[in-house]
Amino acid sequence: MSRQFETIGVVGLGTMGAGIAEVFARNGYSVIGVEQTDEQMERGRANIRHSTDRAVKRGKLSAAEQQATLDRLRLTTQLADLADCDLVVEAVVERLGVKRAIFQRLDEIVRPDAVLATNTSSLSVTEISAATSSPGRVIGLHFFNPAPVQQFVELIHTVVSDPDVIDDVEELARKMGKLPVAVEDRAGFIANALLFGYLNHAVSMYESHYASREDIDVAIRLGCGYPMGPLALLDLIGLDTAYEILDTMYREGRNRLHAPSPLLKQLVTAGLLGRKTGRGFYTYEAADRPIVVDDAETPGLDSAPQFRRQIARVGVVGSGTMATGIVEVFASGGYDVTHVTGSTSLDELADADLVVEAIADELSAKRALVNSLDEICRDGAILATTTTSLPVIELAAATGRPGDVVGMHFFNPAQEVELVEVVATVATGSDVTETVRAVCAAVGKHAVCCADRAGFIVNALLFPYLNDAVRMLEAHYADADEIDTAMKAGCALPMGPFELLDVVGNDVALAIEQRLFQEFREPGLAPAPLLEHLVTAGYLGRKTGRGFRDYSTR
Ligand SMILES: NC(=O)c1ccc[n+]([C@@H]2O[C@H](COP(=O)([O-])OP(=O)(O)OC[C@H]3O[C@@H](n4cnc5c(N)ncnc54)[C@H](O)[C@@H]3O)[C@@H](O)[C@H]2O)c1
């Protein structure tokens, strides 16, 4: 017969522990929360109250349910008060030594049949369990942030975990409306192993002044539909926790892309841990509060109009979906648009103020085109390229006006996606970048600026993550459904990586990944062999009826 869980202990009431205690209490369990000091205990209580207040405001909880939830919660500073618990979930700082010491004590305090779980994000559950006399009852129970909202939980079993412990906790998680997936004990499990490489990469982009924090975050929200940008998410997670997770992942896999960016360490050392301390990548109105306030890095007002060029007439070159979409965007924004396709002459663009080329992404064709445009267009006209994968500087160098050449990377369908990546090369004039930004705003688009590197912002952050997901599948750590579920239900992404790859096309993904690998030469960016094999087999995704999944019968 399966275990009955009535009283649940939660050790540590920080970012995660407070949320985990709330989840159990809201589901009718008696909860005993343990903190180190009275002050931290009261902070945990205030956070649970604040979070349940919000749930009441949003109509997710009635006032009576909130009171009952709070009544089921007992807080203490004594681990010994957990003696009668049926399950204890540990959620203290991500440090192995601290966690092992707590498990050693819990092992002595709780009944022999009680289950001990760690909420660790990346540490070895096996090593934690080895601190107890009965490692069979130790498992990982990894909630996602915020725990009351995210449905997904990872259930981590070690080689010695009792199968019935996993089964019982799985049943408990399901009863609370969570979506549990059982996985083996590896650093980062499913979701963090895929998420943290991406988060670390975003920090490196910001650290190298490749783009501003706001532009990186907006690019991901608008370009990928993610609920939060990576730097805002890191602030929510806590930069100390993120640092420890990356450090553990790096030590286990020796993948340089997981070596924590130096900036993370600096922020942690300075005590800027994110929302919980009121400042991380962004500054917040107070500790533990979500509202961002202006600080020294907040972008100033737009440059004065006299530093921009006048744009009235826009030319668009190309006959594909992208070119047609861009024509519509400018026309509905009130610009006088000339659309040049194969049947019309480039000469019609002689008096255009801005020409956007959107022909096929092939270097020699694009170079020849911008070269002709350079001869035809008036002095001072801006030449923009929509290239996804070519260096913009290659095209600028094919003209006699490299300062006037800029990237304007629209996303498909151009009429709908609000984002445009504005790519400045080493030669692009700042007035040109400013002008293009202002034009984007005038046609209702949100421009983000970045340097001229493979993948710009969105693709450079997205495709290495998709590639990591393919590697995880290839290694048989989890199947495509489990991985897709982890990323959707754990990280609130709009699509799982395999759903997305099948929509984007495996051939398109492979080409982008090859380009990223060629430019950065990072072993971790080498396209996964499984992706190459699928492309060779013609399994390109939905467009061929088969990719990671088979659509022929659906
Ligand atoms: N932050 C996230 O997004 C996230 C998501 C999933 C899992 N996790 C994991 O959850 C755990 C906690 O992370 P967090 O972000 O909540 O950290 P946190 O720093 O916000 O909170 C940790 C809390 O533990 C308390 N604590 C430390 N030692 C203690 C002890 N001996 N006894 C009682 N309390 C103690 C601290 O006072 C603090 O309040 C970590 O293992 C982390 O990897 C974090």
Side-chain angles (χ1 to χ4, degrees):
M1 211 182 79
S2 60
R3 286 177 179 76
Q4 292 306 307
F5 295 101
E6 280 169 19
T7 306
I8 316 284
V10 178
V11 186
L13 297 170
T15 309
M16 288 309 292
I20 295 169
E22 181 187 327
V23 168
F24 284 110
R26 275 172 73 166
N27 281 281
Y29 297 93
S30 296
V31 176
I32 304 174
V34 186
E35 255 295 349
Q36 285 173 298
T37 62
D38 286 341
E39 196 191 346
Q40 279 155 333
M41 195 177 85
E42 290 313 321
R43 185 180 157 203
R45 194 192 305 278
N47 281 340
I48 296 171
R49 175 167 282 284
H50 189 73
S51 162
T52 50
D53 276 347
R54 278 209 316 243
V56 171
K57 261 194 212 131
R58 289 188 187 149
K60 308 252 178 212
L61 200 69
S62 70
E65 284 165 341
Q66 178 187 30
Q67 193 51 54
T69 298
L70 297 174
D71 290 347
R72 281 192 281 270
L73 205 66
R74 223 183 92 209
L75 304 188
T76 166
T77 53
Q78 304 301 318
L79 269 186
D81 290 342
L82 300 178
D84 292 330
C85 287
D86 307 304
L87 162 70
V88 178
V89 183
E90 164 281 312
V92 306
V93 284
E94 188 75 342
R95 299 234 185 81
L96 186 62
V98 178
K99 291 195 190 278
R100 278 178 58 95
I102 288 175
F103 273 76
Q104 200 173 3
R105 288 222 32 226
L106 287 174
D107 193 35
E108 294 157 5
I109 292 168
V110 300
R111 288 193 319 272
D113 63 328
V115 175
L116 299 179
T118 171
N119 184 50
T120 183
S121 305
S122 59
L123 296 171
S124 160
V125 179
T126 312
E127 279 188 69
I128 294 170
S129 74
T132 70
S133 62
S134 45
R137 62 163 159 169
V138 178
I139 59 165
L141 179 57
H142 184 225
F143 287 83
F144 287 75
N145 190 2
V149 177
Q150 307 290 21
Q151 274 187 304
F152 188 60
V153 286
E154 286 165 322
L155 267 177
I156 300 99
H157 52 93
T158 70
V159 286
V160 293
S161 300
D162 288 340
D164 61 288
V165 168
I166 292 288
D167 292 346
D168 294 348
V169 176
E170 188 166 352
E171 194 185 317
L172 170 71
R174 283 195 201 284
K175 265 196 208 157
M176 298 194 298
K178 297 289 179 193
L179 266 179
V181 167
V183 287
E184 288 163 20
D185 187 18
R186 283 197 213 163
F189 318 126
I190 301 178
N192 283 346
L194 297 181
L195 187 69
F196 274 76
Y198 146 78
L199 294 177
N200 200 35
H201 191 179
V203 180
S204 307
M205 276 187 171
Y206 170 62
E207 185 173 22
S208 60
H209 299 272
Y210 175 77
S212 70
R213 61 185 182 183
E214 284 82 2
D215 280 358
I216 292 172
D217 280 350
V218 169
I220 290 297
R221 282 196 285 115
L222 297 182
C224 303
Y226 287 15
M228 292 180 89
L231 301 174
L233 178 58
L234 277 162
D235 274 356
L236 173 69
I237 291 169
L239 305 190
D240 52 341
T241 305
Y243 179 88
E244 296 296 336
I245 293 170
L246 280 163
D247 200 43
T248 313
M249 281 171 50
Y250 174 71
R251 278 188 275 112
E252 185 171 297
R254 297 285 156 191
N255 178 348
R256 278 215 309 254
L257 299 174
H258 295 156
S261 280
L263 179 60
L264 267 182
K265 181 73 176 178
Q266 286 161 22
L267 289 167
V268 171
T269 309
L272 308 178
L273 307 184
R275 272 196 205 179
K276 60 185 166 188
T277 57
R279 194 169 152 198
F281 288 103
Y282 294 92
T283 305
Y284 298 84
E285 62 178 3
D288 293 319
R289 291 292 171 267
I291 309 282
V292 172
V293 294
D294 287 355
D295 59 18
E297 275 192 57
T298 305
L301 293 173
D302 283 347
S303 67
Q306 64 264 31
F307 297 122
R308 298 187 206 133
R309 300 186 189 176
Q310 287 302 315
I311 306 290
R313 287 174 300 271
V314 176
V316 178
V317 186
S319 51
T321 325
M322 186 49 95
T324 322
I326 295 170
V327 167
E328 234 180 83
V329 167
F330 282 109
S332 54
Y335 286 92
D336 172 0
V337 186
T338 307
H339 185 188
V340 174
T341 58
S343 55
T344 39
S345 162
L346 287 177
D347 292 338
E348 293 183 28
L349 302 175
D351 64 351
D353 306 309
L354 164 69
V355 176
V356 183
E357 75 71 21
I359 65 167
D361 234 5
E362 206 271 304
L363 182 59
S364 57
K366 285 208 191 256
R367 279 179 66 99
L369 173 63
V370 290
N371 186 267
S372 307
L373 289 172
D374 185 33
E375 280 171 20
I376 293 164
C377 296
R378 65 163 181 80
D379 279 353
I382 295 174
L383 305 183
T385 170
T386 58
T387 183
T388 316
S389 60
L390 301 170
V392 177
I393 192 66
E394 288 271 11
L395 306 180
T399 72
R401 60 170 96 195
D404 295 342
V405 178
V406 67
M408 265 183 107
H409 184 219
F410 287 82
F411 291 76
N412 229 337
Q415 300 92 319
E416 284 167 32
V417 184
E418 205 186 326
L419 181 70
V420 179
E421 289 174 323
V422 174
V423 185
T425 73
V426 285
T428 310
S430 56
D431 60 329
V432 170
T433 316
E434 276 311 313
T435 304
V436 170
R437 261 188 110 120
V439 168
C440 287
V443 295
K445 298 288 175 201
H446 191 114
V448 294
C449 286
C450 64
D452 185 20
R453 303 269 189 287
F456 309 136
I457 301 177
V458 173
N459 287 352
L461 289 176
L462 180 66
F463 283 88
Y465 144 72
L466 295 176
N467 196 36
D468 287 347
V470 180
R471 283 178 187 279
M472 183 179 276
L473 182 69
E474 199 171 55
H476 298 285
Y477 180 59
D479 66 28
D481 288 346
E482 289 168 337
I483 297 172
D484 277 351
T485 302
M487 302 320 288
K488 286 191 292 179
C491 307
L493 306 190
M495 286 176 121
F498 300 105
E499 288 170 343
L500 184 58
L501 279 163
D502 277 354
V503 169
V504 169
N506 290 330
D507 52 339
V508 174
L510 181 61
I512 295 173
E513 288 175 14
Q514 281 167 336
R515 166 96 179 87
L516 288 167
F517 182 52
Q518 274 159 13
E519 181 148 315
F520 299 107
R521 312 286 169 105
E522 266 298 336
L525 295 179
L530 174 61
L531 186 68
E532 290 174 336
H533 289 194
L534 289 173
V535 173
T536 309
Y539 298 163
L540 306 186
R542 285 182 176 268
K543 61 188 170 188
T544 58
R546 182 158 173 189
F548 284 94
R549 296 191 173 93
D550 187 351
Y551 302 92
S552 55
T553 54
R554 296 181 192 197

